[in-house]
Amino acid sequence: MDLLLPPLFPDLLLDLLSMALLIGGVFLGISGAVGVIRFPDFYTRVHAAGVTDTLSAGMILAGLMLQAGFTLVTVKLAFILLFLWLTSPVASHALARAATHTGAKPVTATSGEPSSSN
Amino acid sequence: MFAATAIGILVVMALALARAFLGPTICDRILAVNMFGTKTVLLIAVYGFLTGRPDFLDIAITYALINFIGVIAVLKFVEGLADSERQPRPDEF
Amino acid sequence: MLYFLSLFAVLFGFWLLLSGLWDHGLLLGLGLISSAFVAWIGTRLERPGGDGFEPGMLLRLPRYLGWLLVAIVQANIDVVRRIWDPVAHPISPVTGRLPASQRTRLGKTLYANSITLTPGTVAIEVSDADVLVHALSREAFDDLAGGEMERRVLALECGAGHPAGHRDGEAQG
């Protein structure tokens, strides 16, 4: 890293970028948590939780990756990110499906018109 | 910097825990627990950097795997429970 | 056999990644044995061939993932706005069915996963012809109903030259 790009990416700049990513990730995480507290029913809360699972986790892990540089640590962080992004939609979908099975209705929902034939 | 991140993640976890206590439905609680688990993975990773011990990342990976499987297992159980409650109960065994 | 080999390669790569010790004969041997064993169990569990995977998809995947990443970032910004400023950006939850024209189970899975991965829309139920979607806002629902994501998953599945929406009765796995 240092050999390739000494003038463009000094450590300070890398630190700043990583700090920005970490702060952004924490901000998104808190936003999602506030949404989970604030939103009116279960189905809307799933969307708020989705924010903390996708971009918040991605930004925090990306910030850590910048700190680690090109090492095995970065590969492991990338693997955690990949795994989180593969599993979080499955968990969300399973949650929503289980909620319909328990009979929970999306109380605030207006029904969308089926936009085509089926 | 890592300490501040860790504190931020702890705040998120506290809010998720509040939703887990508030409920009201069981799915809300599982949603909160799932979110809590995801944040735990991030917290472990950040803590590894904070203490300069990258071995913690292995624990984070394992935690991510276990968290996912655990949530799916609990959801299967809840789904089956809800379905069986809707069925007429057997009179006797 | 291809399924066994690819699963074995992925598992052994995972082993190497986790152990980090690449010159330790005993650990490598144990990794080979357990990867092969788990891959063998995998071939017994799964029926490969029914899910519609073809190698060409791997080439088209990066382009789709890049588009999906942008869509995820936009959706995140939208949801965060609705959380912090509910007066200017009120939520208006919508549920509705959207057609899923993907031909294989893999394509439908990718589509439903992409819907759920973008905050603001969640796939609740997936059937052969359509997906039941819950959206945080009418805008997010209409955006999805516009069909760009559906078209892109279809292109990922069948190649760019494939006429989109061409649904002939191909058997579902």
Side-chain angles (χ1 to χ4, degrees):
Chain A
M1 189 80 200
D2 286 322
L3 286 175
L4 289 174
L5 306 161
L8 280 177
F9 282 107
D11 281 353
L12 180 66
L13 196 60
L14 214 60
D15 270 355
L16 283 178
L17 194 58
S18 146
M19 198 189 288
L21 281 170
L22 288 175
I23 290 173
V26 168
F27 169 72
L28 283 175
I30 291 177
S31 305
V34 168
V36 168
I37 296 287
R38 207 187 220 181
F39 277 169
D41 76 327
F42 167 75
Y43 294 94
T44 48
R45 284 175 202 139
V46 173
H47 301 301
V51 173
T52 71
D53 279 352
T54 55
L55 205 56
S56 164
M59 284 176 83
I60 290 177
L61 289 175
L64 293 182
M65 278 183 219
L66 287 185
Q67 289 288 325
F70 286 120
T71 56
L72 187 66
V73 171
T74 298
V75 182
K76 282 184 182 174
L77 286 169
F79 188 83
I80 294 178
L81 183 59
L82 176 76
F83 193 78
L84 282 182
W85 280 19
L86 279 178
T87 56
S88 98
V90 180
S92 297
H93 167 71
L95 267 164
R97 226 179 74 123
T100 59
H101 279 244
T102 58
K105 293 270 180 291
V107 283
T108 49
T110 56
S111 76
E113 72 273 34
S115 58
S116 83
S117 64
N118 53 55
Chain B
M1 179 168 66
F2 295 132
T5 310
I7 291 171
I9 294 174
L10 281 171
V11 170
V12 178
M13 287 167 81
L15 289 172
L17 212 53
R19 176 46 74 193
F21 276 115
L22 288 173
T25 68
I26 183 139
C27 289
D28 286 298
R29 295 180 211 275
I30 300 173
L31 175 76
V33 168
N34 181 32
M35 195 172 146
F36 191 84
T38 316
K39 293 297 119 178
T40 308
V41 174
L42 294 181
L43 183 68
I44 295 172
V46 171
Y47 189 76
F49 276 78
L50 188 64
T51 54
R53 291 172 63 187
D55 324 345
F56 272 63
L57 286 179
D58 298 338
I59 304 174
I61 291 177
T62 317
Y63 200 95
L65 292 160
I66 293 175
N67 180 49
F68 172 65
I69 292 170
V71 166
I72 293 295
V74 172
L75 281 174
K76 273 279 172 210
F77 176 67
V78 169
E79 214 175 296
L81 206 65
D83 285 347
S84 72
E85 270 173 5
R86 228 182 292 152
Q87 308 289 332
R89 283 152 191 268
D91 291 334
E92 59 188 10
F93 281 113
Chain C
M1 195 59 197
L2 182 68
Y3 180 77
F4 174 84
L5 284 178
S6 50
L7 187 58
F8 174 75
V10 169
L11 287 172
F12 191 60
F14 186 40
W15 176 284
L16 289 180
L17 166 70
L18 283 188
S19 85
L21 299 168
W22 298 343
D23 49 359
H24 196 296
L26 177 67
L27 280 180
L28 286 181
L30 286 174
L32 282 172
I33 291 170
S34 51
S35 304
F37 181 61
V38 173
W40 175 69
I41 293 178
T43 54
R44 286 170 54 93
L45 280 178
E46 193 77 16
R47 289 259 52 86
D51 51 2
F53 176 76
E54 47 161 316
M57 287 180 70
L58 287 179
L59 290 175
R60 300 190 285 268
L61 195 59
R63 194 191 148 114
Y64 177 71
L65 288 183
W67 177 82
L68 185 64
L69 190 65
V70 175
I72 287 173
V73 172
Q74 285 170 347
N76 267 288
I77 293 170
D78 182 63
V79 173
V80 168
R81 257 200 225 133
R82 284 175 207 280
I83 289 170
W84 288 114
D85 195 359
V87 181
H89 305 275
I91 60 170
S92 50
V94 179
T95 50
R97 289 192 177 274
L98 292 176
S101 57
Q102 290 76 27
R103 301 162 120 213
T104 57
R105 288 159 71 191
L106 180 62
K108 287 181 205 304
T109 311
L110 276 171
Y111 183 43
N113 256 18
S114 307
I115 290 175
T116 313
L117 195 57
T118 47
T121 50
V122 170
I124 298 177
E125 197 87 55
V126 186
S127 64
D128 279 346
D130 51 22
V131 186
L132 177 61
V133 174
H134 181 277
L136 184 61
S137 63
R138 164 66 62 179
E139 290 84 356
F141 186 82
D142 288 344
D143 201 34
L144 198 60
E148 189 181 0
M149 182 182 278
E150 188 193 3
R151 252 181 290 115
R152 282 180 181 270
V153 178
L154 195 66
L156 170 70
E157 189 184 20
C158 305
H162 191 85
H166 178 65
R167 259 178 277 178
D168 47 347
E170 187 165 303
Q172 295 299 326

